[in-house]
Amino acid sequence: MKRIGVFTSGGDAPGMNACIRAVVRAAVYKGIEVYGIRRGYNGMIRGEIFKMESSSVSNIVQRGGTILKSARSKEFMTREGRQKAFEQLQNFGIEGLVAIGGNGSFTGAKLFFDEFGIPTVGAPGTIDNDLFGTDYTIGYDTAVNTALDAIDKIRDTADSHERVFFVEVMGRDSGYIAIPCAIGGGAEIVMIPETETTIPSIIEALRTGWNRSKTSSIVIIAEGEVEGGAMKVAAKVQEALPDMDARVTIIGHVQRGGAPTAFDRLLASRLGIACVEGLLDGHKSVMAGLINSKLVYTPFEETFTKRKLINPNFTKMVEVLSV
Ligand code: F6P
């Protein structure tokens, strides 16, 4: 393999730049050419492809976002879109791809390989940490720390005003961001899609807290837990507890930005190199990940069809620690 392409796709995640840097530098180190593809699959379809050198990735290891831009491409989900993308890659002589993204990106990568046979190795880049085949995804650690920082601040004002805050964090269909936010942020209750937490149980927990003379509480809600999210949960609890002074905070896209933590920079660098090495070793349709600190290549299909389980003890921990 003499020429590869690299792109970022789906929701951006802190550490994507560190990963791009690692891919480019590893390729240069191995003596192969590397082309950047802008705007994910959309840019691939339109031929937004340019040669990258070692200097193209100077001074980006510490930056959030992605210098290659990102997109969720509807066109790539069509056969015609993928055909156009294939033709563009052929025009540029690109023989292998590194895809940095999450489950949507890898669904596309699998389809693309099956149809057109361009070897692709993925690096897990998503704050959601919801990909099977890696203990951690790039951006997750930073997003959790960003959310925790916000929760610490919310706790200050919750305490001053003796309020209950319902705080919604991201994570799509998973509770991976919510759990460490709840444990590390000292929340009284956590709601995640993986386990059932009923409204009556929240009401009960809050009442119990007040009876123990707690004057403020934090409830963390994973965005995928209930339709309507934290607003809906707060409204239902308020109905049953009219004296409760409640507020809702949706932390939102703040969680996607900012400088990556040391953990994410290291993970991104390690997996970026592993993607290039994986392509050179003949891997074709896999994601590079770390399981128990060991490098593992997992078929794309498994990364988004198999569910990575959350340790059920974590929700119990929140209950124990809020006593
Ligand atoms: O997948 C990352 C993520 O931030 C999810 O946690 C969230 O549900 C989604 O992306 C938001 O997507 P968008 O930025 O397109 O609104």
Side-chain angles (χ1 to χ4, degrees):
M1 194 170 288
K2 287 269 163 278
R3 188 175 291 177
I4 64 168
V6 58
F7 63 99
T8 48
S9 162
D12 61 350
M16 277 184 162
N17 279 329
C19 192
I20 296 166
R21 171 178 178 266
V23 170
V24 170
R25 297 252 161 110
V28 170
Y29 186 83
K30 301 269 179 196
I32 57 174
E33 289 184 326
V34 58
Y35 280 67
I37 301 167
R38 285 201 186 90
R39 300 184 177 81
Y41 291 117
N42 281 344
M44 199 184 288
I45 290 167
R46 293 186 205 118
E48 295 181 43
I49 300 173
F50 63 103
K51 184 144 192 305
M52 295 183 88
E53 314 287 350
S54 182
S55 60
S56 318
V57 290
S58 297
N59 197 22
I60 66 165
V61 71
Q62 78 285 14
R63 279 168 55 188
T66 159
I67 59 161
L68 291 178
K69 316 282 185 207
S70 194
R72 301 188 200 276
S73 175
K74 288 209 173 74
E75 201 179 348
F76 195 76
M77 288 304 155
T78 66
R79 168 82 199 189
E80 297 71 44
R82 294 193 292 277
Q83 176 70 40
K84 282 188 206 162
F86 174 66
E87 285 162 14
Q88 294 286 6
L89 294 179
Q90 281 205 310
N91 290 343
F92 283 89
I94 290 172
E95 301 161 281
L97 289 171
V98 173
I100 307 168
N103 41 28
S105 313
F106 295 164
T107 306
K110 187 218 171 298
L111 264 176
F112 195 50
F113 173 76
D114 290 349
E115 290 170 349
F116 298 101
I118 299 206
T120 306
V121 177
T126 164
I127 63 164
D128 299 335
N129 198 30
D130 57 350
L131 290 166
F132 181 86
T134 190
D135 290 340
Y136 298 105
T137 55
I138 298 161
Y140 169 65
D141 184 65
T142 309
V144 166
N145 279 290
T146 301
L148 254 183
D149 186 46
I151 292 161
D152 287 348
K153 290 175 173 139
I154 289 167
R155 179 168 281 291
D156 289 345
T157 176
D159 182 51
S160 307
H161 288 267
E162 304 187 312
R163 283 174 169 160
V164 178
F165 269 82
F166 292 82
V167 182
E168 183 178 306
V169 296
M170 278 189 168
R172 206 177 282 277
D173 301 320
S174 107
Y176 270 101
I177 295 180
I179 286 290
C181 284
I183 296 173
E188 275 63 33
I189 300 152
V190 64
M191 294 181 84
I192 58 169
E194 290 86 346
T195 58
E196 207 198 335
T197 311
T198 61
I199 299 292
S201 73
I202 296 178
I203 295 164
E204 182 55 31
L206 289 174
R207 276 210 184 103
T208 312
W210 289 334
N211 292 341
R212 285 194 213 114
S213 65
K214 274 197 185 193
T215 57
S216 67
S217 299
I218 306 272
V219 182
I220 303 287
I221 298 146
E223 64 175 356
E225 161 61 4
V226 270
E227 209 171 306
M231 295 293 276
K232 192 156 181 191
V233 175
K236 284 190 172 166
V237 177
Q238 181 82 77
E239 252 177 52
L241 302 172
D243 292 340
M244 173 183 73
D245 191 4
R247 291 293 185 274
V248 175
T249 302
I250 298 170
I251 301 181
H253 284 79
V254 170
Q255 292 159 101
R256 287 249 293 269
T261 57
F263 181 91
D264 274 329
R265 294 182 205 193
L266 192 62
L267 180 68
S269 302
R270 197 162 167 205
L271 293 181
I273 294 173
C275 285
V276 175
E277 288 179 347
L279 280 174
L280 295 178
D281 287 347
H283 285 289
K284 299 207 180 313
S285 181
V286 297
M287 180 193 82
L290 290 187
I291 298 179
N292 294 329
S293 303
K294 288 217 165 61
L295 179 64
V296 177
Y297 294 99
T298 303
F300 276 138
E301 191 165 7
E302 288 181 27
T303 66
F304 55 82
T305 53
K306 290 193 174 172
R307 192 148 173 105
K308 188 164 73 177
L309 297 175
I310 287 194
N311 184 340
N313 294 334
F314 286 156
T315 38
K316 186 71 190 165
M317 268 174 81
V318 176
E319 191 186 323
V320 171
L321 293 172
S322 71
V323 117

